[in-house]
Amino acid sequence: MFYQGENILEDSKFQLKVIRDDSYFQQLRIVLNKVRSLDILEFFIDNLDDRFDSTYFLSSEDNFALYEYYNIKFQALINLERVNHHRRINKFFEAVNFKLEPGGIYISSVQTYANRKRALIKKYPKGVNWLVIGFDTLIHRVLPKLKLTQKLYFYLTRGKYRMISRAETFGRLYSCGFEVISEKEIDNVLYFTARKVKKPAFDLNPTYGPLVKLRRVGKNGKIFKVYKLRTMYPYAEYLQEYVYQHYNLDEGGKFKNDFRVSPLGRIFRKFWLDELPMLWNVLKGDMKLIGVRPLSNHYFNLYTKELQNKRTKTKPGLLPPFYADLPKTLDEIMASELRYLDAYEKAPLMTDLKYFIQILKNILFKGARSK
């Protein structure tokens, strides 16, 4: 059934390839010629449901092709180019969002850090491969993020082949109005399917550098920005709901095997380095030394109404009661915070002094650490 004739309209300027044939099997044949993999084609079909006849096939990194070339909306769009090759990833995802109908499906692929590392290890001799990985990381991961080298990197490479993590890819999708509904590794490349659920956030100030400012719920329910050293990949803040739905909570109320945390970030967390900038929040008066942990809106909404009300009566703290009680589950964490807040309400200074001594003992002698 994959050996019928082809009928493709092409535009060399934008490298568009749009299928214009009523035959279902004819379309499968054309796509198979491009991807040259039955596994990839099967992933497309499984995730399109019955949308194949109204699918827009694109082989381009140019978002203007989506905005200007065809003045129509689609139920599904498949881009055969990897995310790694986009110069402005968010602009492209925003263009895809614009071209899709509500609930529309977007399918594409990305070669993640892990994919790239495995490929280089396999390609080069032992010993040499790690040198290649180090050089490749410097060129395609570090240089695109440094302000001094960004323009030169994109001028020379046009944005192609840069390294991007799974967390950043999915985070960018969520920031641009999508939700990820499936993913699968095929031939050492990650293929994903995303559904349009809303308009893009058009985030002009994403947390991309080493120092991040995170929105947290403070006293009286006021939202303030917590300063921390980056431990997660860029755009990871958009994935809290996704991770909550797909991963279980580990001991301590954190997500188990959280793929959003970078290898360097795990080291920072182990030695408390990531929380040092929060001292500025203490000096500014947004936080105090001892107190409940400052929470994002997502985590805050997981708490009971009673605890939410008690939490917003006082400032959050740099050292939370978690390190005094060492709870393991979310329920135990809430019970720990409730005990602290009840005690603090009756005797603020004595309560904080008591908790500070216990926290210090647990850090020094029991190895209490952030995860």
Side-chain angles (χ1 to χ4, degrees), residues 93 111 203 219 275 292 320 325 353 365:
F93 286 168
Q111 186 182 50
D203 190 351
K219 187 177 180 180
E275 298 189 351
V292 293
D325 299 332
L353 180 60
F365 302 110

Side-chain angles (χ1 to χ4, degrees), residues 1-16:
M1 68 181 184
F2 297 113
Y3 296 96
Q4 302 178 34
E6 299 181 2
N7 182 14
I8 303 179
L9 295 180
E10 299 189 6
D11 183 285
S12 58
K13 180 180 179 182
F14 295 116
Q15 294 181 289
L16 288 174

Side-chain angles (χ1 to χ4, degrees), residues 30-290:
I30 297 169
V31 178
L32 181 60
N33 279 347
K34 175 66 179 179
V35 300
R36 299 188 181 280
S37 169
L38 284 173
D39 290 334
I40 297 173
L41 183 60
E42 183 179 11
F43 181 81
F44 292 167
I45 296 171
D46 289 345
N47 287 276
L48 286 173
D49 297 326
D50 58 351
R51 294 181 172 93
F52 205 98
D53 287 331
S54 59
T55 297
Y56 181 79
F57 288 86
L58 177 68
S59 181
S60 174
E61 311 96 43
D62 195 331
N63 57 299
F64 291 106
L66 288 168
Y67 278 124
E68 299 177 2
Y69 198 76
Y70 290 102
N71 189 28
I72 52 177
K73 301 280 186 178
F74 297 92
Q75 293 183 23
L77 188 149
I78 297 177
N79 189 14
L80 303 178
E81 288 288 344
R82 295 177 188 171
V83 173
N84 310 76
H85 296 172
H86 296 307
R87 168 65 178 88
R88 293 179 175 85
I89 297 173
N90 278 29
K91 290 298 181 184
F92 186 84
F93 286 168
E94 289 164 6
V96 173
N97 184 295
F98 174 78
K99 292 302 296 182
L100 288 176
E101 297 176 352
I105 295 297
Y106 172 53
I107 300 177
S108 190
S109 63
V110 60
Q111 186 182 50
T112 65
Y113 291 152
N115 297 143
R116 183 88 147 253
K117 183 178 177 181
R118 284 196 295 266
L120 293 175
I121 288 175
K122 185 177 180 180
K123 183 177 181 180
Y124 293 96
K126 190 175 181 180
V128 176
N129 50 18
W130 289 104
L131 292 174
V132 174
I133 289 171
F135 182 75
D136 186 65
T137 301
L138 173 64
I139 299 298
H140 294 294
R141 179 179 178 184
V142 178
L143 296 187
K145 295 183 179 180
L146 297 177
K147 288 186 177 180
L148 292 175
T149 55
Q150 269 182 350
K151 290 184 178 180
L152 177 62
Y153 175 84
F154 287 114
Y155 174 78
L156 295 175
T157 67
R158 299 182 64 186
K160 291 193 174 186
Y161 310 114
R162 63 170 152 164
M163 298 174 71
I164 181 170
S165 66
R166 171 178 170 235
E168 182 177 346
T169 303
F170 287 3
R172 286 177 179 271
L173 283 166
Y174 273 77
S175 76
C176 293
F178 294 93
E179 65 173 359
V180 177
I181 58 177
S182 72
E183 56 181 294
K184 184 177 182 180
E185 282 202 0
I186 305 172
D187 298 332
N188 203 31
V189 174
L190 179 65
Y191 285 80
F192 60 83
T193 305
R195 179 189 293 117
K196 175 180 174 178
V197 292
K198 59 184 178 181
K199 292 182 179 180
F202 297 108
D203 190 351
L204 300 178
N205 296 294
T207 57
Y208 210 78
L211 182 67
V212 298
K213 294 182 288 186
L214 305 174
R215 292 167 59 85
R216 294 293 183 259
V217 180
K219 187 177 180 180
N220 299 320
K222 181 182 177 182
I223 301 296
F224 72 104
K225 291 183 178 179
V226 166
Y227 295 88
K228 296 186 72 174
L229 289 179
R230 174 177 296 285
T231 61
M232 293 186 175
Y233 292 111
Y235 288 89
E237 64 269 25
Y238 286 96
L239 291 177
Q240 283 200 340
E241 185 67 28
Y242 174 82
V243 177
Y244 180 72
Q245 291 175 353
H246 292 81
Y247 296 84
N248 295 322
L249 290 178
D250 202 354
E251 289 187 1
K254 296 292 184 72
F255 291 116
K256 190 172 184 179
N257 300 321
D258 194 340
F259 70 94
R260 299 175 301 165
V261 182
S262 67
L264 183 61
R266 296 187 191 282
I267 297 174
F268 282 179
R269 290 187 176 195
K270 183 176 181 180
F271 296 102
W272 295 73
L273 299 177
D274 61 309
E275 298 189 351
L276 288 178
M278 292 172 65
L279 289 170
W280 178 243
N281 288 109
V282 176
L283 293 174
K284 285 178 61 181
D286 297 326
M287 297 171 58
K288 56 194 185 77
L289 183 62
I290 308 296

Side-chain angles (χ1 to χ4, degrees), residues 298-334:
H298 172 78
Y299 268 109
F300 185 77
N301 289 328
L302 296 179
Y303 281 36
T304 63
K305 289 295 182 183
E306 177 191 9
L307 188 49
Q308 287 179 11
N309 291 334
K310 283 184 175 289
R311 277 179 134 270
T312 54
K313 289 180 180 179
T314 184
K315 295 177 184 179
L318 178 62
L319 297 174
F322 171 89
Y323 294 110
D325 299 332
L326 301 179
K328 294 184 178 181
T329 66
L330 182 59
D331 287 338
E332 290 177 0
I333 291 173
M334 289 192 291

Side-chain angles (χ1 to χ4, degrees), residues 328-366:
K328 294 184 178 181
T329 66
L330 182 59
D331 287 338
E332 290 177 0
I333 291 173
M334 289 192 291
S336 169
E337 291 190 355
L338 195 57
R339 283 195 301 272
Y340 165 79
L341 292 170
D342 285 340
Y344 182 83
E345 192 174 359
K346 297 174 183 176
L349 291 178
M350 288 303 298
T351 297
D352 278 359
L353 180 60
K354 175 185 174 182
Y355 271 82
F356 178 75
I357 294 171
Q358 186 60 46
I359 288 170
L360 193 62
K361 287 170 60 177
N362 286 345
I363 292 173
L364 293 176
F365 302 110
K366 291 188 178 181

